[in-house]
Amino acid sequence: MKTLNLKQIFNAVVISVGTSFLVTSSVGATSSNGAARVNSIGSGNNLIIAQSEQIYFAPGESSASVSGGVPRGTSYSYFLDASGGQYMTVSISSVESNGVFSIIAPDGSVLAGEATSWGGTLPNNGTYQIVVGSTRGGASYTLYVAIQ
């Protein structure tokens, strides 16, 4: 398993998930192998802890699916290493059609916000963050990511 370097994922950006604006920072607890395991998510005066994990493709594969759930008012972050110039496709399906995601590039720019599907050419080399949230209530979801 690859260990993330916190310098690679340390950033603070404002994203919109549902009707809330969130400030996200990768500073938080780390697992025993040093990989980031939680993010601090702040909305107004509240502090919500959301989990995160790295997405890996199986050898010879260029796509992966992950399933999970986010309780109301929280988010779940996935990190993915990719190269500038590659084409990435992301989609989410959820039981109540309320799962959405945002994509944050290594330079902190937001490539997609409050989306259910997205495809585009990646602008930079580095670690991309996909933040999954819900437009209402909690969401059970499957996230699909492919890179060409």
Side-chain angles (χ1 to χ4, degrees), residues 57-148:
F57 296 142
E61 298 294 323
S62 60
S63 65
S65 292
V66 290
S67 296
V70 289
R72 185 174 89 196
T74 64
S75 63
Y76 200 103
S77 292
Y78 295 94
F79 296 94
L80 173 70
D81 294 326
S83 300
Q86 290 182 303
Y87 190 86
M88 182 166 73
T89 303
V90 180
S91 62
I92 191 168
S93 61
S94 54
V95 175
E96 296 181 21
S97 300
N98 60 342
V100 293
F101 63 85
S102 296
I103 302 172
I104 303 164
D107 65 1
S109 62
V110 178
L111 302 181
E114 210 173 314
T116 56
S117 64
W118 180 86
T121 302
L122 300 177
N124 310 94
N125 295 341
T127 302
Y128 286 79
Q129 183 178 13
I130 302 170
V131 182
V132 174
S134 174
T135 58
R136 66 186 185 289
S140 295
Y141 63 88
T142 300
L143 181 72
Y144 172 80
V145 181
I147 293 185
Q148 300 174 354

Side-chain angles (χ1 to χ4, degrees), residues 32 36-37 99 147:
S32 60
R37 296 297 301 161
I147 293 185

